[in-house]
PDB file of all heavy atoms in Angstrom:
ATOM      1  N   LEU A  34      -1.664  13.205  15.072  1.00 94.00           N
ATOM      2  CA  LEU A  34      -1.696  14.172  13.982  1.00 94.00           C
ATOM      3  C   LEU A  34      -0.915  15.377  14.471  1.00 94.00           C
ATOM      4  O   LEU A  34      -1.158  15.868  15.575  1.00 94.00           O
ATOM      5  CB  LEU A  34      -3.144  14.561  13.670  1.00 94.00           C
ATOM      6  CG  LEU A  34      -3.349  15.578  12.564  1.00 94.00           C
ATOM      7  CD1 LEU A  34      -4.706  15.332  11.910  1.00 94.00           C
ATOM      8  CD2 LEU A  34      -3.269  16.983  13.061  1.00 94.00           C
ATOM      9  N   THR A  36       0.575  19.246  13.270  1.00 92.00           N
ATOM     10  CA  THR A  36       0.683  20.353  12.325  1.00 92.00           C
ATOM     11  C   THR A  36       1.659  21.356  12.926  1.00 92.00           C
ATOM     12  O   THR A  36       2.189  21.143  14.019  1.00 92.00           O
ATOM     13  CB  THR A  36      -0.682  21.039  12.089  1.00 92.00           C
ATOM     14  OG1 THR A  36      -1.072  21.738  13.273  1.00 92.00           O
ATOM     15  CG2 THR A  36      -1.751  20.044  11.678  1.00 92.00           C
ATOM     16  N   LYS A  38       0.863  23.990  14.290  1.00 94.00           N
ATOM     17  CA  LYS A  38       0.235  24.558  15.484  1.00 94.00           C
ATOM     18  C   LYS A  38      -0.239  23.518  16.495  1.00 94.00           C
ATOM     19  O   LYS A  38      -0.217  23.768  17.692  1.00 94.00           O
ATOM     20  CB  LYS A  38      -0.948  25.438  15.086  1.00 94.00           C
ATOM     21  CG  LYS A  38      -1.644  26.075  16.294  1.00 94.00           C
ATOM     22  CD  LYS A  38      -2.464  27.271  15.915  1.00 94.00           C
ATOM     23  CE  LYS A  38      -3.198  27.885  17.082  1.00 94.00           C
ATOM     24  NZ  LYS A  38      -2.363  28.419  18.146  1.00 94.00           N
ATOM     25  N   TRP A  39      -0.677  22.352  16.025  1.00 95.00           N
ATOM     26  CA  TRP A  39      -1.336  21.397  16.911  1.00 95.00           C
ATOM     27  C   TRP A  39      -0.643  20.046  16.974  1.00 95.00           C
ATOM     28  O   TRP A  39      -0.108  19.573  15.981  1.00 95.00           O
ATOM     29  CB  TRP A  39      -2.778  21.165  16.454  1.00 95.00           C
ATOM     30  CG  TRP A  39      -3.601  22.393  16.403  1.00 95.00           C
ATOM     31  CD1 TRP A  39      -3.988  23.079  15.285  1.00 95.00           C
ATOM     32  CD2 TRP A  39      -4.120  23.116  17.513  1.00 95.00           C
ATOM     33  NE1 TRP A  39      -4.721  24.177  15.631  1.00 95.00           N
ATOM     34  CE2 TRP A  39      -4.827  24.235  17.004  1.00 95.00           C
ATOM     35  CE3 TRP A  39      -4.078  22.946  18.890  1.00 95.00           C
ATOM     36  CZ2 TRP A  39      -5.462  25.148  17.810  1.00 95.00           C
ATOM     37  CZ3 TRP A  39      -4.705  23.862  19.706  1.00 95.00           C
ATOM     38  CH2 TRP A  39      -5.393  24.954  19.167  1.00 95.00           C
ATOM     39  N   ALA A  40      -0.718  19.419  18.142  1.00 96.00           N
ATOM     40  CA  ALA A  40      -0.341  18.020  18.329  1.00 96.00           C
ATOM     41  C   ALA A  40      -1.549  17.343  18.958  1.00 96.00           C
ATOM     42  O   ALA A  40      -1.995  17.726  20.046  1.00 96.00           O
ATOM     43  CB  ALA A  40       0.877  17.887  19.234  1.00 96.00           C
ATOM     44  N   TYR A  41      -2.112  16.359  18.256  1.00 97.00           N
ATOM     45  CA  TYR A  41      -3.298  15.649  18.722  1.00 97.00           C
ATOM     46  C   TYR A  41      -2.979  14.166  18.834  1.00 97.00           C
ATOM     47  O   TYR A  41      -2.492  13.555  17.893  1.00 97.00           O
ATOM     48  CB  TYR A  41      -4.454  15.879  17.744  1.00 97.00           C
ATOM     49  CG  TYR A  41      -5.685  15.041  18.002  1.00 97.00           C
ATOM     50  CD1 TYR A  41      -6.225  14.908  19.283  1.00 97.00           C
ATOM     51  CD2 TYR A  41      -6.321  14.385  16.966  1.00 97.00           C
ATOM     52  CE1 TYR A  41      -7.348  14.150  19.517  1.00 97.00           C
ATOM     53  CE2 TYR A  41      -7.467  13.626  17.187  1.00 97.00           C
ATOM     54  CZ  TYR A  41      -7.972  13.506  18.467  1.00 97.00           C
ATOM     55  OH  TYR A  41      -9.089  12.747  18.696  1.00 97.00           O
ATOM     56  N   LEU A  57      -4.521  17.066  23.331  1.00 98.00           N
ATOM     57  CA  LEU A  57      -4.439  18.109  22.318  1.00 98.00           C
ATOM     58  C   LEU A  57      -3.569  19.227  22.874  1.00 98.00           C
ATOM     59  O   LEU A  57      -3.826  19.720  23.980  1.00 98.00           O
ATOM     60  CB  LEU A  57      -5.834  18.651  21.980  1.00 98.00           C
ATOM     61  CG  LEU A  57      -5.887  19.858  21.041  1.00 98.00           C
ATOM     62  CD1 LEU A  57      -5.390  19.477  19.643  1.00 98.00           C
ATOM     63  CD2 LEU A  57      -7.302  20.424  20.983  1.00 98.00           C
ATOM     64  N   PHE A  58      -2.555  19.605  22.119  1.00 98.00           N
ATOM     65  CA  PHE A  58      -1.657  20.663  22.561  1.00 98.00           C
ATOM     66  C   PHE A  58      -1.494  21.711  21.472  1.00 98.00           C
ATOM     67  O   PHE A  58      -1.374  21.378  20.288  1.00 98.00           O
ATOM     68  CB  PHE A  58      -0.270  20.096  22.907  1.00 98.00           C
ATOM     69  CG  PHE A  58      -0.306  19.075  23.998  1.00 98.00           C
ATOM     70  CD1 PHE A  58      -0.255  17.722  23.700  1.00 98.00           C
ATOM     71  CD2 PHE A  58      -0.414  19.460  25.321  1.00 98.00           C
ATOM     72  CE1 PHE A  58      -0.291  16.766  24.700  1.00 98.00           C
ATOM     73  CE2 PHE A  58      -0.454  18.512  26.337  1.00 98.00           C
ATOM     74  CZ  PHE A  58      -0.394  17.162  26.025  1.00 98.00           C
ATOM     75  N   ASP A  59      -1.472  22.962  21.877  1.00 97.00           N
ATOM     76  CA  ASP A  59      -1.132  24.073  20.995  1.00 97.00           C
ATOM     77  C   ASP A  59       0.382  24.217  21.111  1.00 97.00           C
ATOM     78  O   ASP A  59       0.892  24.780  22.084  1.00 97.00           O
ATOM     79  CB  ASP A  59      -1.843  25.348  21.439  1.00 97.00           C
ATOM     80  CG  ASP A  59      -1.521  26.553  20.568  1.00 97.00           C
ATOM     81  OD1 ASP A  59      -0.448  26.562  19.915  1.00 97.00           O
ATOM     82  OD2 ASP A  59      -2.326  27.495  20.566  1.00 97.00           O
ATOM     83  N   LEU A  70      -5.487  20.323  26.084  1.00 98.00           N
ATOM     84  CA  LEU A  70      -6.694  21.078  25.746  1.00 98.00           C
ATOM     85  C   LEU A  70      -7.838  20.181  25.257  1.00 98.00           C
ATOM     86  O   LEU A  70      -8.896  20.692  24.889  1.00 98.00           O
ATOM     87  CB  LEU A  70      -6.364  22.108  24.657  1.00 98.00           C
ATOM     88  CG  LEU A  70      -5.221  23.062  24.969  1.00 98.00           C
ATOM     89  CD1 LEU A  70      -4.852  23.880  23.736  1.00 98.00           C
ATOM     90  CD2 LEU A  70      -5.590  23.953  26.140  1.00 98.00           C
ATOM     91  N   ALA A  71      -7.646  18.877  25.270  1.00 97.00           N
ATOM     92  CA  ALA A  71      -8.619  17.953  24.677  1.00 97.00           C
ATOM     93  C   ALA A  71     -10.000  18.025  25.317  1.00 97.00           C
ATOM     94  O   ALA A  71     -10.995  17.797  24.643  1.00 97.00           O
ATOM     95  CB  ALA A  71      -8.096  16.522  24.725  1.00 97.00           C
ATOM     96  N   ASP A  73     -11.104  20.808  26.978  1.00 97.00           N
ATOM     97  CA  ASP A  73     -11.477  22.218  27.127  1.00 97.00           C
ATOM     98  C   ASP A  73     -12.520  22.576  26.065  1.00 97.00           C
ATOM     99  O   ASP A  73     -12.240  22.493  24.865  1.00 97.00           O
ATOM    100  CB  ASP A  73     -10.223  23.088  26.956  1.00 97.00           C
ATOM    101  CG  ASP A  73     -10.465  24.552  27.255  1.00 97.00           C
ATOM    102  OD1 ASP A  73     -11.593  25.050  27.015  1.00 97.00           O
ATOM    103  OD2 ASP A  73      -9.517  25.212  27.719  1.00 97.00           O
ATOM    104  N   PRO A  74     -13.739  22.978  26.467  1.00 97.00           N
ATOM    105  CA  PRO A  74     -14.797  23.293  25.506  1.00 97.00           C
ATOM    106  C   PRO A  74     -14.398  24.363  24.481  1.00 97.00           C
ATOM    107  O   PRO A  74     -14.894  24.359  23.358  1.00 97.00           O
ATOM    108  CB  PRO A  74     -15.949  23.793  26.371  1.00 97.00           C
ATOM    109  CG  PRO A  74     -15.662  23.311  27.742  1.00 97.00           C
ATOM    110  CD  PRO A  74     -14.168  23.150  27.845  1.00 97.00           C
ATOM    111  N   GLU A  75     -13.497  25.243  24.860  1.00 97.00           N
ATOM    112  CA  GLU A  75     -13.042  26.298  23.939  1.00 97.00           C
ATOM    113  C   GLU A  75     -12.364  25.722  22.692  1.00 97.00           C
ATOM    114  O   GLU A  75     -12.337  26.354  21.641  1.00 97.00           O
ATOM    115  CB  GLU A  75     -12.073  27.231  24.678  1.00 97.00           C
ATOM    116  CG  GLU A  75     -11.597  28.392  23.860  1.00 97.00           C
ATOM    117  CD  GLU A  75     -10.652  29.315  24.630  1.00 97.00           C
ATOM    118  OE1 GLU A  75     -10.674  29.298  25.886  1.00 97.00           O
ATOM    119  OE2 GLU A  75      -9.903  30.039  23.964  1.00 97.00           O
ATOM    120  N   PHE A  76     -11.826  24.504  22.795  1.00 97.00           N
ATOM    121  CA  PHE A  76     -11.094  23.887  21.691  1.00 97.00           C
ATOM    122  C   PHE A  76     -11.837  22.700  21.080  1.00 97.00           C
ATOM    123  O   PHE A  76     -11.257  21.917  20.328  1.00 97.00           O
ATOM    124  CB  PHE A  76      -9.693  23.473  22.164  1.00 97.00           C
ATOM    125  CG  PHE A  76      -8.874  24.652  22.590  1.00 97.00           C
ATOM    126  CD1 PHE A  76      -8.838  25.041  23.918  1.00 97.00           C
ATOM    127  CD2 PHE A  76      -8.181  25.394  21.657  1.00 97.00           C
ATOM    128  CE1 PHE A  76      -8.111  26.146  24.317  1.00 97.00           C
ATOM    129  CE2 PHE A  76      -7.445  26.506  22.042  1.00 97.00           C
ATOM    130  CZ  PHE A  76      -7.413  26.886  23.373  1.00 97.00           C
ATOM    131  N   ALA A  77     -13.130  22.576  21.365  1.00 97.00           N
ATOM    132  CA  ALA A  77     -13.925  21.449  20.855  1.00 97.00           C
ATOM    133  C   ALA A  77     -13.956  21.420  19.328  1.00 97.00           C
ATOM    134  O   ALA A  77     -13.864  20.340  18.725  1.00 97.00           O
ATOM    135  CB  ALA A  77     -15.335  21.498  21.423  1.00 97.00           C
ATOM    136  N   ASP A  78     -14.087  22.582  18.684  1.00 96.00           N
ATOM    137  CA  ASP A  78     -14.111  22.613  17.218  1.00 96.00           C
ATOM    138  C   ASP A  78     -12.769  22.193  16.626  1.00 96.00           C
ATOM    139  O   ASP A  78     -12.718  21.464  15.628  1.00 96.00           O
ATOM    140  CB  ASP A  78     -14.486  24.008  16.703  1.00 96.00           C
ATOM    141  CG  ASP A  78     -15.941  24.353  16.941  1.00 96.00           C
ATOM    142  OD1 ASP A  78     -16.744  23.432  17.209  1.00 96.00           O
ATOM    143  OD2 ASP A  78     -16.277  25.547  16.862  1.00 96.00           O
ATOM    144  N   VAL A  79     -11.684  22.641  17.224  1.00 96.00           N
ATOM    145  CA  VAL A  79     -10.343  22.255  16.764  1.00 96.00           C
ATOM    146  C   VAL A  79     -10.185  20.746  16.900  1.00 96.00           C
ATOM    147  O   VAL A  79      -9.746  20.066  15.970  1.00 96.00           O
ATOM    148  CB  VAL A  79      -9.247  22.986  17.570  1.00 96.00           C
ATOM    149  CG1 VAL A  79      -7.863  22.412  17.258  1.00 96.00           C
ATOM    150  CG2 VAL A  79      -9.288  24.473  17.307  1.00 96.00           C
ATOM    151  N   LEU A  80     -10.567  20.213  18.053  1.00 96.00           N
ATOM    152  CA  LEU A  80     -10.461  18.783  18.302  1.00 96.00           C
ATOM    153  C   LEU A  80     -11.274  17.996  17.269  1.00 96.00           C
ATOM    154  O   LEU A  80     -10.801  17.011  16.710  1.00 96.00           O
ATOM    155  CB  LEU A  80     -10.920  18.448  19.719  1.00 96.00           C
ATOM    156  CG  LEU A  80     -10.735  17.006  20.154  1.00 96.00           C
ATOM    157  CD1 LEU A  80      -9.261  16.670  20.297  1.00 96.00           C
ATOM    158  CD2 LEU A  80     -11.458  16.761  21.466  1.00 96.00           C
ATOM    159  N   GLN A  81     -12.477  18.449  16.988  1.00 96.00           N
ATOM    160  CA  GLN A  81     -13.334  17.769  16.022  1.00 96.00           C
ATOM    161  C   GLN A  81     -12.711  17.788  14.626  1.00 96.00           C
ATOM    162  O   GLN A  81     -12.710  16.773  13.921  1.00 96.00           O
ATOM    163  CB  GLN A  81     -14.715  18.412  15.990  1.00 96.00           C
ATOM    164  CG  GLN A  81     -15.677  17.719  15.053  1.00 96.00           C
ATOM    165  CD  GLN A  81     -17.054  18.369  15.057  1.00 96.00           C
ATOM    166  OE1 GLN A  81     -17.294  19.382  15.694  1.00 96.00           O
ATOM    167  NE2 GLN A  81     -17.968  17.764  14.323  1.00 96.00           N
ATOM    168  N   GLN A  82     -12.160  18.916  14.211  1.00 95.00           N
ATOM    169  CA  GLN A  82     -11.528  19.013  12.891  1.00 95.00           C
ATOM    170  C   GLN A  82     -10.310  18.092  12.789  1.00 95.00           C
ATOM    171  O   GLN A  82     -10.132  17.385  11.793  1.00 95.00           O
ATOM    172  CB  GLN A  82     -11.092  20.447  12.610  1.00 95.00           C
ATOM    173  CG  GLN A  82     -12.240  21.384  12.334  1.00 95.00           C
ATOM    174  CD  GLN A  82     -11.754  22.824  12.175  1.00 95.00           C
ATOM    175  OE1 GLN A  82     -10.794  23.257  12.820  1.00 95.00           O
ATOM    176  NE2 GLN A  82     -12.418  23.557  11.301  1.00 95.00           N
ATOM    177  N   LEU A  83      -9.467  18.120  13.815  1.00 96.00           N
ATOM    178  CA  LEU A  83      -8.270  17.286  13.798  1.00 96.00           C
ATOM    179  C   LEU A  83      -8.637  15.808  13.843  1.00 96.00           C
ATOM    180  O   LEU A  83      -8.026  14.981  13.152  1.00 96.00           O
ATOM    181  CB  LEU A  83      -7.342  17.653  14.955  1.00 96.00           C
ATOM    182  CG  LEU A  83      -6.760  19.066  14.909  1.00 96.00           C
ATOM    183  CD1 LEU A  83      -5.927  19.337  16.150  1.00 96.00           C
ATOM    184  CD2 LEU A  83      -5.960  19.304  13.643  1.00 96.00           C
ATOM    185  N   ASP A  84      -9.639  15.457  14.637  1.00 95.00           N
ATOM    186  CA  ASP A  84     -10.078  14.070  14.718  1.00 95.00           C
ATOM    187  C   ASP A  84     -10.611  13.584  13.373  1.00 95.00           C
ATOM    188  O   ASP A  84     -10.338  12.455  12.951  1.00 95.00           O
ATOM    189  CB  ASP A  84     -11.133  13.894  15.816  1.00 95.00           C
ATOM    190  CG  ASP A  84     -11.422  12.432  16.062  1.00 95.00           C
ATOM    191  OD1 ASP A  84     -10.549  11.745  16.631  1.00 95.00           O
ATOM    192  OD2 ASP A  84     -12.516  11.968  15.666  1.00 95.00           O
ATOM    193  N   SER A  85     -11.329  14.443  12.680  1.00 94.00           N
ATOM    194  CA  SER A  85     -11.851  14.092  11.361  1.00 94.00           C
ATOM    195  C   SER A  85     -10.710  13.848  10.373  1.00 94.00           C
ATOM    196  O   SER A  85     -10.734  12.872   9.611  1.00 94.00           O
ATOM    197  CB  SER A  85     -12.770  15.201  10.858  1.00 94.00           C
ATOM    198  OG  SER A  85     -13.266  14.887   9.582  1.00 94.00           O
ATOM    199  N   LEU A  86      -9.704  14.705  10.378  1.00 93.00           N
ATOM    200  CA  LEU A  86      -8.533  14.513   9.514  1.00 93.00           C
ATOM    201  C   LEU A  86      -7.817  13.200   9.825  1.00 93.00           C
ATOM    202  O   LEU A  86      -7.451  12.443   8.925  1.00 93.00           O
ATOM    203  CB  LEU A  86      -7.546  15.670   9.680  1.00 93.00           C
ATOM    204  CG  LEU A  86      -7.872  16.993   9.026  1.00 93.00           C
ATOM    205  CD1 LEU A  86      -6.883  18.068   9.473  1.00 93.00           C
ATOM    206  CD2 LEU A  86      -7.846  16.850   7.507  1.00 93.00           C
TER     207      LEU A  86
END
Side-chain angles (χ1 to χ4, degrees):
L34 179 151
T36 69
K38 181 160 178 63
W39 302 105
Y41 172 47
L57 174 66
F58 300 101
D59 179 336
L70 305 171
D73 187 328
E75 183 179 339
F76 297 94
D78 289 343
V79 170
L80 186 68
Q81 183 179 4
Q82 288 175 326
L83 296 177
D84 189 71
S85 179
L86 284 172

